[in-house]
Amino acid sequence: MEKMGLWVGLVLLGGASTAFAQGNPSAGKEKAQVCGACHGEDGNSSAPIFPKIAGQHASYLAKQLHDFKTQRRPEPTMSALSEPLTDADIEDLAAYYSRQKIRIEKGPSNSAGEALYRTGNPATGVPACTGCHNPGGNGNPLAVFPQVNGQYAAYIEKTLRDFKSGARGNDANGMMRAIAGKMSEEEIRAVADYLSTLE
């Protein structure tokens, strides 16, 4: 029964967030000028500390902007930039960036990271990442699970460490905090390295 409640909650959350994602990409491109300074004109940032948002699900982008705006995900720069955004602005920005194409880094695949991503670590209770983010790393827009393939390794590492420490807490039902809390530093680095080159 508890699992059913969690599933229903995720479906409802996904349904609610897709309501944010019906924006106008042309209007979003006009509104994205200030975003380009950190995230790149097309959502492919040039600095690994800033996430690539090109091709990210509109539902996820909208959720993060709302969370920055309401301080559910506190981050000084993003909170300040998102505070004046209207719901329509957020929908338009999410629609624009979701239609861009992510540029994936070239390099050898990290076999330890791939093993963790695909099978988890049963000994420590770390589940396979594929359960939420899918084998190709393209996530699940209805459940608002982000696309993670092709993201900078440095950004994935920071994100996992923030979930692990509790510095970031806008994950549904604390799922990412619970998972990252069981991951070792070596596992964080390996899975981040693997995802950065996953096409």
Side-chain angles (χ1 to χ4, degrees), residues 37-58:
C38 293
H39 295 289
E41 184 180 340
D42 64 351
N44 285 286
S45 62
S46 56
I49 197 61
F50 299 127
K52 299 176 189 177
I53 55 176
Q56 185 58 263
H57 304 303

Side-chain angles (χ1 to χ4, degrees), residues 56-77:
Q56 185 58 263
H57 304 303
S59 58
Y60 182 79
L61 291 171
K63 179 188 185 305
Q64 298 312 305
L65 285 171
H66 280 285
D67 285 356
F68 284 128
K69 180 174 179 168
T70 60
Q71 299 285 321
R72 184 156 186 243
R73 182 180 173 184
E75 199 288 322
T77 301

Side-chain angles (χ1 to χ4, degrees), residues 114-154:
E114 180 176 13
L116 184 68
Y117 185 79
R118 297 194 180 283
T119 61
N121 183 346
T124 58
V126 175
C129 309
T130 55
C132 293
H133 297 287
N134 291 320
N138 57 337
N140 182 333
L142 290 179
V144 203
F145 297 146
Q147 175 178 332
V148 291
N149 68 305
Q151 187 57 263
Y152 285 123

